[in-house]
């Protein structure tokens, strides 16, 4: 009986070594022209992997018949059964299937990854309640909700302001303005083949798609910036993707979308029909609680910037909708992570949309500009008696200026004042607008100006007043020693005569110290002014003209001519120059034809903001004064 069993096993083994017969086909398959679909390949790989696993289990069972066997493998004397039983590893026969198994696992992983990224998930109720509380707090008004639920990302239909997003409601400008600044970055300086947000290189004005239209005489040339819908849409997608990707640490981004089935069923074939369908669906919705947010919002996580671009392109109708600004804010906070947002803020108890007017906090603006929801605008962190408050710790693409600095209520650090591109969000007490230049050279500084910046940075490092602009006499001594500045003893005694040293007094003193001794006085410098042009854009739609019953409302774009004297120019020289300018203005009627008469300086709150970046700058413009409110 044993011999019979052994013969049967040997016969079965010999048969297993023979190649399997080919399957009968009516026609031979053209392998060269055959392309297997991904679904078919996936099913085939799964079948082969299951078959290999079954065979492996069978061989493992056979191998355990005699686990103590130590018979050497010799092809001349060992029986086929002995060879099988003494195999070093049961899986050796199937080593060729390891790549197959890895390919299946990789395919399954990719499919799961695509499923997570492509299919929005419901926002958990706990997260939805935290998100709603973080933004609006527990005591909010219906007016504030109405403001934030009626602001999407829509460009101006007017050709002269085609580069700008239109703001219909107050409050969401804290989201619109930073996105607008980044839109200008892509429209003015970045070409489509340089769209990587980590692009390096010297800033330069792109040659396309700028279409400058020049109007007026040679003495007063007005530049108009006209862009197509395609260019504006591309720039908007890039700007939103950049902010979300940066908030996610350049590793991931979370995109919040609306979950309203009836809205998608009514999508039309063109942009207007889509917008109307979405607006109609949103009219009956309310965002009064975290439960509503949980019910209406779905989120998806992406882990590549290209996938993020694709998602944002497909979701443009939603971001153009009345909830567009809110959806981007949700996406930003979730991309950053609510726990990290809490740790970023100095006072996480306060809502990020402030009462009673629904203005966006500085934390929202900073999250859009630098990817962190910090509360302050100075550089790095500051220690106030054991309490550390957070500022801007990284370089930024577009910067920030504020009227509050001109009122000595805060100090904007170098990171925000000197961004990579000459574009700034301008803040006032109640609104955010945009200042930008077409020429990156407006950012350049002379050697002596660079030296002043180093002195100011050293001063700020010793300033423990929270941006008040003063230090102790001991700190002044350290600065002068570290920077090798040789100040005369009588001047030093005058600076240290009180308990504090104010920056303005130190700056005036350094203007009297020669550059060779570490000061800012340069007798050989040419007292010539830097002159350049900047543009101010205010996205609020205001009435500009009326024709019968039709009232035209649009944003406003203003060109401003800026003249900046060297920082070391004595004030007496500027006073004499201003008097001469006034005399020219009075005698303008009797001036000789063709004579160059300096334009009189004009003032508006925006000029005070500009002077926080370019000290003692004078500005003038044509028409109404630019408004920052």
């Amino acid at each position: 009986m044993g011999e019979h069993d052994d013969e049967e096993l040997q016969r079965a083994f010999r048969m297993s070594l023979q190649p399997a017969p080919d399957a009968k086909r009516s026609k031979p398959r053209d392998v060269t022209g055959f392309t297997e679909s991904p679904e078919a390949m996936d099913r085939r790989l799964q079948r082969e992997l299951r078959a290999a696993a079954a065979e492996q289990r069978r061989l493992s069972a056979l191998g355990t018949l005699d686990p103590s066997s130590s018979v050497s493998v010799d092809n001349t004397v060992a029986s086929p059964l002995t060879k099988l039983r003494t195999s070093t590893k049961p899986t050796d026969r199937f080593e060729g299937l390891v790549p197959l198994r890895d390919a299946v696992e990789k395919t399954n992983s990719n499919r799961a990854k695509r499923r997570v990224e492509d299919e929005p998930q419901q926002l958990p109720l706990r997260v939805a309640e935290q998100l709603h509380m973080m933004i609006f707090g527990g005591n909010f008004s219906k007016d504030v909700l109405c403001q934030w639920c009626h602001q999407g990302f829509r460009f101006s239909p007017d050709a002269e302001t085609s580069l700008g997003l239109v703001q219909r409601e107050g409050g969401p400008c804290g989201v619109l303005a930073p996105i607008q600044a980044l839109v200008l970055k892509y429209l003015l300086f970045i070409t489509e083949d340089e769209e990587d947000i980590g692009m390096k290189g010297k800033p330069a004005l792109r040659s396309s798609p700028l279409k400058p239209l020049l109007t007026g005489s040679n003495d007063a040339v007005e530049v108009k910036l006209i862009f197509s819908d395609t260019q504006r849409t591309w720039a908007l997608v890039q700007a939103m993707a950049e902010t979300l990707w940066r908030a996610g640490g350049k590793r991931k981004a979370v995109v919040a979308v609306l979950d309203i089935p009836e809205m998608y069923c009514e999508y039309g074939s063109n942009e207007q029909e889509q917008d109307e369908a979405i607006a109609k669906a949103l009219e009956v919705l309310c965002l009064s609680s975290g439960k509503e947010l949980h019910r209406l919002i779905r989120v998806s996580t992406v882990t590549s910037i290209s996938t993020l671009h694709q998602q944002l392109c497909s979701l443009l109708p939603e971001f153009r909708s009345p909830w567009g600004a809110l959806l981007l804010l949700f996406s930003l906070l979730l991309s950053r992570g609510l726990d990290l947002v809490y740790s970023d803020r100095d006072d996480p108890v306060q809502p990020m949309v402030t009462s009673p007017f629904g203005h966006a906090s500085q934390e929202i603006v900073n999250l859009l500009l630098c990817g962190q929801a910090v509360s302050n605008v100075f550089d790095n962190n500051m220690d106030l008696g054991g309490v550390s408050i957070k500022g801007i710790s990284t370089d930024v693409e577009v910067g920030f200026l504020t009227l509050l600095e001109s009122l000595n209520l805060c100090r904007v650090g170098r990171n925000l004042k000197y961004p990579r591109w000459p574009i700034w969000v301008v803040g006032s007490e109640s609104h955010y607008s945009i200042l930008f230049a077409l020429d990156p050279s407006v950012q350049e500084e002379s050697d002596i100006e660079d030296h002043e910046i180093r002195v100011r940075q050293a001063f700020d490092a010793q300033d423990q007043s929270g941006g008040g602009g003063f230090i102790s006499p001991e700190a002044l001594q350290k600065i002068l020693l570290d920077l090798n500045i040789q100040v005369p003893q009588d001047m030093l005694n005058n600076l240290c005569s009180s308990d504090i040293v104010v920056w303005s007094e130190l700056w005036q003193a350094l203007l009297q110290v020669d550059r060779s001794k570490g000061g800012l006085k340069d007798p050989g410098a040419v007292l010539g002014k830097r002159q350049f042009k900047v543009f101010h854009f205010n996205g609020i739609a205001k009435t500009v003209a009326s024709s019968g019953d039709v009232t035209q409302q649009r944003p406003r774009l203003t060109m401003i001519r800026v003249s900046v004297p060297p920082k070391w120019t004595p004030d007496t020289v500027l006073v004499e120059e201003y008097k001469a300018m006034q005399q020219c203005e009075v005698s303008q009627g009797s001036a000789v034809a063709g004579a160059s008469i300096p334009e009189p300086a004009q003032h508006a709150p925006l000029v005070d903001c500009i002077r926080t970046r370019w000290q003692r700058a004078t500005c003038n413009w044509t028409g109404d004064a630019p408004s920052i409110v």
Side-chain angles (χ1 to χ4, degrees):
M1 186 68 180
E3 296 178 358
H4 178 72
D5 291 342
D6 190 44
E7 291 176 359
E8 290 293 333
L9 286 174
Q10 293 186 33
R11 187 182 303 110
F13 182 77
R14 286 194 297 271
M15 292 179 65
S16 68
L17 297 179
Q18 296 178 0
D22 294 335
K24 295 182 179 180
R25 301 178 183 273
S26 58
K27 292 182 180 180
R29 182 173 60 178
D30 184 6
V31 179
T32 58
F34 176 73
T35 301
E36 190 176 21
S37 66
E39 294 78 6
M41 178 183 293
D42 188 19
R43 291 193 297 270
R44 178 174 59 78
L45 293 178
Q46 291 284 0
R47 288 195 303 270
E48 293 177 359
L49 185 58
R50 285 195 295 269
E55 184 70 7
Q56 180 176 341
R57 287 193 299 271
R58 187 180 70 82
L59 291 177
S60 298
L62 289 174
T64 57
L65 293 176
D66 187 7
S68 61
S69 174
S70 58
V71 180
S72 61
V73 179
D74 187 348
N75 293 334
T76 59
V77 296
S79 67
L81 181 61
T82 305
K83 294 179 182 179
L84 182 62
R85 292 171 57 185
T86 58
S87 176
T88 56
K89 291 183 181 180
T91 58
D92 286 352
R93 280 184 62 185
F94 302 97
E95 288 182 354
L97 291 176
V98 172
L100 177 64
R101 180 190 59 199
D102 295 341
V104 173
E105 292 177 351
K106 183 177 180 180
T107 301
N108 292 337
S109 176
N110 291 338
R111 291 178 63 192
K113 183 178 179 180
R114 287 196 302 270
R115 185 162 54 250
V116 170
E117 293 189 350
D118 295 342
E119 298 179 4
Q121 307 296 315
Q122 186 176 30
L123 188 64
L125 178 59
R126 179 184 60 83
V127 177
E129 291 176 341
Q130 289 180 349
L131 184 62
H132 194 278
M133 179 65 69
M134 177 181 290
I135 297 175
F136 296 108
N139 185 19
F140 54 88
S141 66
K142 292 183 178 179
D143 292 338
V144 170
L145 283 179
C146 182
Q147 291 172 204
W148 281 85
C149 291
H150 288 83
Q151 182 60 66
F153 293 95
R154 306 188 65 85
F155 284 99
S156 170
D158 182 72
E160 294 185 358
T161 55
S162 62
L163 56 76
L165 297 167
V166 181
Q167 182 182 347
R168 300 294 182 184
E169 301 285 345
C173 57
V175 174
L176 261 66
I179 293 296
Q180 174 69 75
L182 289 171
V183 165
L184 290 172
K185 162 193 164 180
Y186 284 98
L187 286 177
L188 300 177
F189 300 107
I190 308 297
T191 56
E192 284 81 350
D193 58 348
E194 299 168 334
E195 60 190 48
D196 180 12
I197 61 175
M199 187 194 70
K200 303 298 182 183
K202 182 179 179 180
L205 182 64
R206 63 185 296 178
S207 58
S208 175
L210 270 180
K211 299 179 181 178
L213 302 181
L214 307 182
T215 62
S217 64
N218 293 333
D219 295 333
V221 177
E222 182 180 0
V223 178
K224 296 182 180 180
L225 307 176
I226 310 298
F227 298 93
S228 68
D229 289 340
T230 301
Q231 294 163 346
R232 298 186 304 180
T233 300
W234 170 80
L236 177 60
V237 169
Q238 297 293 327
M240 292 192 298
E242 179 175 339
T243 58
L244 295 177
W245 194 245
R246 185 188 299 112
K250 298 185 179 181
R251 298 185 301 272
K252 66 176 180 64
V254 178
V255 182
V257 298
L258 291 168
D259 183 29
I260 309 174
E262 60 271 20
M263 177 183 72
Y264 296 96
C265 294
E266 298 181 13
Y267 260 12
S269 58
N270 57 52
E271 179 178 323
Q272 182 177 357
E273 293 178 356
Q274 292 174 353
D275 294 340
E276 291 175 354
I278 295 176
K280 182 179 178 181
L282 293 177
E283 285 178 357
V284 297
L285 298 180
C286 179
L287 195 63
S288 59
S289 66
K291 292 182 179 179
E292 292 297 317
L293 190 62
H294 165 70
R295 182 175 67 88
L296 297 173
I297 299 298
R298 298 291 183 270
V299 294
S300 58
T301 302
V302 298
T303 55
S304 71
I305 189 68
S306 59
T307 305
L308 180 58
H309 287 153
Q310 295 172 4
Q311 280 213 4
L312 292 176
C313 284
S314 64
L315 295 172
L316 275 179
E318 296 191 33
F319 286 104
R320 288 198 305 263
S321 77
W323 279 25
L326 261 182
L327 288 176
L328 184 67
L329 181 56
F330 294 157
S331 302
L332 276 166
L333 295 173
L334 294 172
S335 295
R336 176 62 176 162
L338 300 189
D339 291 340
L340 286 177
V341 172
Y342 275 116
S343 64
D344 288 341
R345 306 173 65 195
D346 290 339
D347 186 4
V349 177
Q350 297 299 321
M352 303 185 80
V353 172
T354 60
S355 298
F357 303 110
H359 296 149
S361 66
Q362 187 66 45
E363 296 157 337
I364 293 178
V365 177
N366 288 345
L367 179 59
L368 284 152
L369 293 178
C370 71
Q372 299 178 352
V374 294
S375 306
N376 306 287
V377 293
F378 49 72
D379 289 342
N380 304 315
N381 298 343
M382 184 176 295
D383 186 11
L384 297 179
V387 177
S388 179
I389 57 177
K390 304 178 185 67
I392 307 299
S393 59
T394 60
D395 296 335
V396 295
E397 295 289 296
V398 296
F400 180 78
L401 304 174
T402 176
L403 183 65
L404 300 180
E405 182 174 14
S406 68
L407 302 175
N408 293 323
L409 297 178
C410 70
R411 167 153 179 84
V412 180
R414 181 173 175 82
N415 287 333
L416 289 178
K417 277 188 180 176
Y418 294 80
R420 183 181 177 193
W421 308 99
I423 308 170
W424 296 264
V425 174
V426 177
S428 65
E429 301 95 330
S430 60
H431 185 52
Y432 296 101
S433 53
I434 302 295
L435 184 74
F436 66 96
L438 303 182
D439 186 358
S441 65
V442 302
Q443 294 272 67
E444 297 177 358
E445 303 285 348
S446 64
D447 292 340
I448 197 168
E449 288 171 330
D450 286 338
H451 178 59
E452 182 194 5
I453 290 172
R454 289 192 295 272
V455 176
R456 183 62 200 247
Q457 288 177 330
F459 184 94
D460 290 341
Q462 299 292 330
D463 185 359
Q464 301 299 316
S465 65
F470 56 85
I471 60 176
S472 66
E474 293 76 15
L476 173 63
Q477 296 279 5
K478 184 177 186 307
I479 292 174
L480 298 178
L481 180 63
D482 291 344
L483 298 180
N484 193 25
I485 301 175
Q486 304 171 26
V487 176
Q489 189 61 44
D490 57 341
M491 185 180 297
L492 182 60
N493 294 338
N494 187 39
L495 288 172
C496 299
S497 59
S498 60
D499 294 335
I500 61 173
V501 178
V502 182
W503 165 254
S504 58
E505 295 179 356
L506 174 60
W507 184 70
Q508 290 291 341
L510 293 179
L511 289 175
Q512 304 175 39
V513 178
D514 288 341
R515 184 180 179 184
S516 59
K517 297 182 179 181
L520 301 177
K521 183 179 180 180
D522 189 356
V526 179
L527 298 179
K529 292 185 176 182
R530 294 178 57 199
Q531 295 182 332
F532 52 87
K533 295 176 182 178
V534 295
F535 293 82
H536 179 256
F537 177 78
N538 190 337
I540 291 182
K542 295 185 177 181
T543 300
V544 294
S546 297
S547 177
D549 296 335
V550 179
T551 300
Q552 297 182 9
Q553 289 187 325
R554 67 183 185 189
R556 186 171 176 211
L557 180 65
T558 305
M559 184 175 67
I560 302 170
R561 295 172 288 275
V562 181
S563 179
V564 184
K567 293 182 180 180
W568 57 92
T569 304
D571 290 337
T572 54
V573 175
L574 297 179
V575 170
E576 293 299 326
E577 190 175 278
Y578 180 74
K579 291 180 179 179
M581 186 184 300
Q582 286 184 320
Q583 293 176 357
C584 289
E585 183 180 356
V586 171
S587 59
Q588 184 174 2
S590 59
V592 179
S596 177
I597 301 175
E599 294 180 288
Q602 296 171 284
H603 186 266
L606 176 62
V607 178
D608 294 329
C609 294
I610 292 175
R611 286 174 178 167
T612 64
R613 173 59 179 82
W614 294 280
Q615 296 180 14
R616 299 189 290 180
T618 57
C619 303
N620 55 73
W621 51 82
T622 302
D624 296 337
S627 173
I628 60 175
V629 297

